[in-house]
Amino acid sequence: MLKSTFTPIFSTFPAKLSALQKFPRFTTAANAFTQSTPPIQQNSSTAPTSAYVHLPFCRKRCHYCDFPIVALGSANPTDADPRISNYIELLLREIVSTKPEFDSHPPLQTVFFGGGTPSLVSPGLVSSILDTLKRKFGLCEDAEISMEMDPGTFDAGKMEELMGLGVNRVSLGVQAFQEELLKSCGRAHGIKEVYEAIEIIGSCGVQNWSIDLISSLPHQTPQMWEESLRHTIQAQPKHVSVYDLQVEKDTKFGILYSPGEFPLPSETQSADFYRMASRILSDAGYSHYEISSYSKDGFECKHNFTYWKNKPFYGFGLGSASYINGLRFSRPRKMKEYMGYVQNLETGEVDCCGNNHIDAKDMVMDIVMLSLRTARGLDLRFFANEFGGSLVYSLCKVYKPYIESGHVVCLDEERRELTADELNTLFTHEEDIASRLGCIRLSDPDGFLLSNELISLAFRVIAP
């Protein structure tokens, strides 16, 4: 099932994924290798070309949210609000004090403003962040600059100003098309604001935009879910993100509800929601390119590919995470501690990566986990070159029942699906597995639904 009890790979995932649909993080993968295992060179000397910027401001905290945020109240704020202006000043200090560890640094190709509700921040302050990033790291002229925006937090004037600054991708946090569900989630907007936001995006000529939806909400019925999917398709976004609700402790939902118990859907109902989304969105011409993501051709989120491909990236702001030189590091989630972190960064007492060492023993699980989230799957040639053909054979052997059931799909170098007879022949000759198979991927939707179980099986092979 998609619902996961594993700890997420980042303590705060740089896009709005971890509070809604977490994927596994295995922390004991080090046991999988001997001391003689050579380190992976992937990412070890590659400068990041992506940056995530956390803008934590919201009008109120949604009932499912466990992100580090600052609740401002119902009114849209102004630049004079010290909670915003002081934070932006702190954020800029962090960016300026970050020491690039590379002789040459290619300009940033993607920037993602996540939150929180970044559209509560004025275009003037967004401009100051982009200007600082550009001076520090450079910024491609055609960079993908994404911003999460909530209905009711922007008008056409603000949208046009943001587009003028270079924001060219919008992720609209709709979540549901039913007034009662929006209220039960504690959302600050209603259905009227949803349609107004869609109209503004269209009238301003935003071509690359996404709608976020949440399934498995309290009291959500299959009819409601289908209605939300149909309304989404009618709005004609180029991208759709579909998240499965995770009930986190210390949230209002965590206090009120227990997973799998009424009024939350059962696991079977949640799986049916997922299958429905896959079928309806695929029929409407959206490609299911990642477990939670659908897009029209050419409109996949470039920034999120940084994560799925295990490439390095910068994170800036409260609770954000970076992945640089094979090291992962998360900023503090509380404002006071974050202020102290920035001060220590300025004085050189800490660096932007911290002290969390990730070597080949951990990276192998990241590669498996992230790859199997995507429609592309796990590149077995690369995997064999890095970790050995015997590990590929062991992985395929443990997946054999799921290959036979159709949950795991095996492809050759030309991405042709192998027949049952071809696979049976391969399994009798261990040495042929690594040389004949090009990749394995999870089937859509049933393989994706078992992703946590299948990734757990891989972990047991690598770290018995």
Side-chain angles (χ1 to χ4, degrees):
M1 293 294 295
L2 280 170
K3 291 192 174 183
S4 171
T5 57
F6 296 113
T7 305
I9 185 170
F10 311 115
S11 61
T12 295
F13 193 71
K16 195 171 285 185
L17 297 177
S18 66
L20 299 173
Q21 182 181 329
K22 296 189 176 180
F23 52 93
R25 167 71 170 136
F26 303 100
T27 56
T28 57
N31 299 326
F33 297 91
T34 66
Q35 294 297 320
S36 61
T37 303
I40 294 181
Q41 297 303 312
Q42 182 189 18
N43 298 332
S44 61
S45 59
T46 304
T49 57
S50 294
Y52 171 82
V53 180
H54 190 65
L55 300 180
F57 309 106
C58 287
R59 290 182 290 184
K60 57 187 293 192
R61 182 179 287 278
C62 297
H63 297 341
Y64 51 76
C65 176
D66 68 345
F67 276 83
I69 69 162
V70 177
L72 300 174
S74 58
N76 285 341
T78 67
D79 287 358
D81 190 322
R83 294 171 295 181
I84 295 181
S85 58
N86 291 343
Y87 176 82
I88 298 299
E89 179 185 357
L90 195 62
L91 177 69
L92 298 181
R93 287 167 53 194
E94 181 192 359
I95 296 171
V96 169
S97 301
T98 297
K99 298 176 177 61
E101 302 182 15
F102 308 93
D103 294 334
S104 61
H105 199 298
L108 296 175
Q109 297 173 5
T110 73
V111 177
F112 195 104
F113 290 100
T117 307
S119 48
L120 287 172
V121 177
S122 72
L125 292 177
V126 172
S127 177
S128 68
I129 299 170
L130 288 171
D131 287 344
T132 303
L133 288 172
K134 187 173 183 179
R135 287 194 302 269
K136 185 71 179 183
F137 304 109
L139 187 63
C140 292
E141 289 187 6
D142 61 347
E144 178 192 83
I145 302 178
S146 303
M147 177 173 283
E148 292 180 339
M149 306 179 75
D150 276 1
T153 63
F154 62 96
D155 56 18
K158 177 181 273 192
M159 186 75 257
E160 290 171 352
E161 284 189 71
L162 291 170
M163 292 173 67
L165 297 175
V167 175
N168 51 24
R169 185 177 183 278
V170 170
S171 181
L172 187 65
V174 172
Q175 317 311 359
F177 277 86
Q178 294 80 31
E179 193 75 42
E180 61 269 37
L181 289 185
L182 294 174
K183 288 181 179 178
S184 69
C185 288
R187 296 293 289 174
H189 70 264
I191 196 65
K192 177 176 177 289
E193 288 80 14
V194 169
Y195 287 114
E196 288 175 349
I198 292 172
E199 175 63 28
I200 291 168
I201 289 172
S203 66
C204 290
V206 180
Q207 295 297 313
N208 190 0
W209 69 288
S210 177
I211 282 181
D212 291 353
L213 297 175
I214 305 178
S215 63
S216 302
L217 293 169
H219 299 288
Q220 189 176 41
T221 66
Q223 293 75 22
M224 289 176 173
W225 182 232
E226 181 172 1
E227 181 182 51
S228 287
L229 292 167
R230 299 293 183 192
H231 283 307
T232 295
I233 292 169
Q234 290 172 10
Q236 299 183 325
K238 299 296 186 181
H239 188 282
V240 182
S241 294
V242 175
Y243 302 120
D244 191 47
L245 175 71
Q246 301 299 299
V247 178
E248 306 291 350
K249 69 175 184 178
D250 299 327
T251 64
K252 187 166 183 178
F253 276 178
I255 296 170
L256 293 174
Y257 307 126
S258 297
E261 296 182 6
F262 184 82
L264 295 178
S266 66
E267 285 199 350
T268 299
Q269 290 170 320
S270 293
D272 289 341
F273 285 156
Y274 188 80
R275 292 189 180 96
M276 184 188 299
S278 177
R279 173 177 54 81
I280 290 177
L281 292 172
S282 296
D283 288 348
Y286 291 90
S287 173
H288 194 180
Y289 72 95
E290 187 272 331
I291 279 183
S292 303
S293 306
Y294 302 77
S295 77
K296 297 289 187 177
D297 290 344
F299 288 92
E300 299 85 355
C301 180
K302 295 178 182 177
H303 183 84
N304 281 349
F305 267 129
T306 299
Y307 309 140
W308 310 144
K309 293 181 179 180
N310 207 36
K311 296 170 65 176
F313 55 87
Y314 289 113
F316 298 108
L318 187 72
S320 65
S322 294
Y323 178 37
I324 305 170
N325 274 336
L327 304 175
R328 302 194 190 277
F329 177 66
S330 295
R331 281 89 185 135
R333 290 172 57 92
K334 295 183 178 180
M335 192 65 72
K336 184 177 181 180
E337 285 81 0
Y338 173 61
M339 291 173 62
Y341 162 76
V342 173
Q343 291 170 355
N344 290 335
L345 186 65
E346 291 174 321
T347 59
E349 295 180 47
V350 299
D351 60 38
C352 64
C353 294
N355 300 311
N356 299 326
H357 178 63
I358 301 291
D359 59 16
K361 304 165 188 178
D362 294 314
M363 192 177 293
V364 61
M365 279 311 307
D366 286 354
I367 291 170
V368 170
M369 174 178 54
L370 294 168
S371 297
L372 291 182
R373 282 185 63 95
T374 69
R376 184 74 186 172
L378 176 64
D379 184 337
L380 292 179
R381 296 300 177 87
F382 165 80
F383 201 74
N385 288 337
E386 296 291 345
F387 306 111
S390 61
L391 187 57
V392 170
Y393 176 77
S394 297
L395 190 61
C396 291
K397 186 176 181 180
V398 78
Y399 280 163
K400 192 171 187 293
Y402 297 92
I403 294 170
E404 293 171 350
S405 66
H407 291 91
V408 177
V409 180
C410 295
L411 308 173
D412 65 13
E413 283 186 296
E414 283 72 43
R415 296 193 65 81
R416 178 185 65 86
E417 185 173 344
L418 273 66
T419 66
D421 288 343
E422 289 174 314
L423 288 170
N424 286 332
T425 301
L426 285 180
F427 276 111
T428 62
H429 300 87
E430 176 178 341
E431 66 277 6
D432 289 343
I433 289 283
S435 61
R436 289 282 307 279
L437 285 183
C439 73
I440 57 174
R441 63 175 177 84
L442 305 187
S443 62
D444 177 18
D446 290 334
F448 280 153
L449 280 166
L450 287 180
S451 60
N452 287 323
E453 179 179 340
L454 294 170
I455 291 168
S456 294
L457 286 174
F459 170 65
R460 294 169 194 163
V461 169
I462 296 167

